[in-house]
Amino acid sequence: MTTQPTSHILHNIPTLCRGSRSLLRNWLVRNPIDSLGFCIPTIIVGCGVYGFTMGLWRSGIMAAYVGIKFPLVIFSTLIINGAINGMLAMVLGSGISFRQSFQFLLAGFALMSIILLSLSPITLFVILHAAGPEQPEAHLMHNIILLCHTSMIAYAGIASHRSLLAQVRDFATTPAHGTRTFFAWLAGNLFVGAQVSWVMRPFFGSPDLEIQFLRDDPLNGSFYDSVWKSVTNLIGF
């Protein structure tokens, strides 16, 4: 993998945010290795910083754990969905190859990381002014933090993938095939990403549980059950 100059990486950030077709076409057709040199460091930095703010409410140690784990969640989702998206692209007749589907996904996660990095000052401000895990309203605050971060990550994921829709339609055999493939990818990414994050929990740190890098029972329960419980706790069901 070639090393890109820092100035070149910084130049690609606004270009990717604008959904530049020339940048994506260059990565997908002419210089696929360049996408790795840009996207991988971007995911590590963007998701690492955002992950740090996610765990900071519980403690500095939790923040360090999540700063490491959140990029790992993205890369794990990338590996799993890279294969799934390639098969979906073929089944849906898009004409997009396995490699291109993987690079579309990689670019989407890189843009998602940039969005999350831009949201990190907001989440840091909220955490610094929130009731701490040792205070009586800690469980309520934990539920609020979980739902806020879930909403922000979902928004970043959808917005980043939405910016790639036009490129997927361009590369597909027909725009209709591209649209179907895109929404199949989006649904799969959200589902797999949510479950991978559940297996690799904790990310926020429940106030009545000890701080751990991974839970002793990672496969117990599901992400969606946890979110539903947080919603019902907040509205008093």
Side-chain angles (χ1 to χ4, degrees):
M1 181 172 63
T2 57
T3 302
Q4 298 186 47
T6 302
S7 60
H8 185 61
I9 293 177
L10 294 178
H11 171 74
N12 281 343
I13 291 176
T15 306
L16 180 61
C17 290
R18 291 193 299 267
S20 170
R21 297 190 181 190
S22 61
L23 177 64
L24 267 295
R25 184 168 292 277
N26 179 57
W27 284 351
L28 291 166
V29 178
R30 292 188 291 273
N31 298 301
I33 298 300
D34 284 355
S35 66
L36 300 180
F38 171 79
C39 294
I40 291 177
T42 301
I43 292 171
I44 292 173
V45 173
C47 290
V49 172
Y50 186 84
F52 185 87
T53 68
M54 288 171 65
L56 190 59
W57 176 75
R58 186 67 170 84
S59 73
I61 296 176
M62 191 75 224
Y65 283 168
V66 182
I68 295 170
K69 286 198 299 182
F70 194 35
L72 293 178
V73 168
I74 300 301
F75 289 127
S76 298
T77 304
L78 178 65
I79 293 171
I80 296 170
N81 269 34
I84 295 174
N85 287 358
M87 290 186 287
L88 286 173
M90 290 193 300
V91 169
L92 295 173
S94 69
I96 298 174
S97 68
F98 262 86
R99 179 184 62 79
Q100 290 174 336
S101 65
F102 177 86
Q103 288 187 272
F104 269 121
L105 182 58
L106 182 64
F109 278 139
L111 181 52
M112 172 184 167
S113 302
I114 295 170
I115 295 172
L116 290 176
L117 181 62
S118 70
L119 294 173
S120 296
I122 299 174
T123 58
L124 179 61
F125 178 84
V126 171
I127 293 302
L128 293 178
H129 291 80
E134 71 286 345
Q135 298 183 15
E137 58 270 33
H139 284 88
L140 174 62
M141 184 55 59
H142 177 265
N143 290 331
I144 293 174
I145 290 173
L146 187 152
L147 292 176
C148 285
H149 279 296
T150 300
S151 300
M152 284 188 174
I153 294 171
Y155 162 76
I158 293 172
S160 61
H161 284 68
R162 171 64 182 83
S163 71
L164 301 177
L165 175 58
Q167 285 86 338
V168 175
R169 289 167 60 90
D170 283 347
F171 271 85
T173 51
T174 67
H177 283 107
T179 300
R180 287 197 294 268
T181 301
F182 170 81
F183 283 105
W185 285 357
L186 179 61
N189 293 345
L190 291 174
F191 178 79
V192 172
Q195 284 304 111
V196 170
S197 66
W198 175 259
V199 172
M200 297 184 69
R201 70 189 189 283
F203 288 91
F204 314 107
S206 299
D208 53 353
L209 296 177
E210 65 177 309
I211 297 173
Q212 295 175 290
F213 189 79
L214 295 173
R215 291 291 182 221
D216 296 329
D217 53 347
L219 299 180
N220 183 34
S222 72
F223 168 82
Y224 304 100
D225 181 57
S226 175
V227 171
W228 175 248
K229 287 180 179 178
S230 296
V231 171
T232 55
N233 288 336
L234 282 175
I235 62 180
F237 279 6

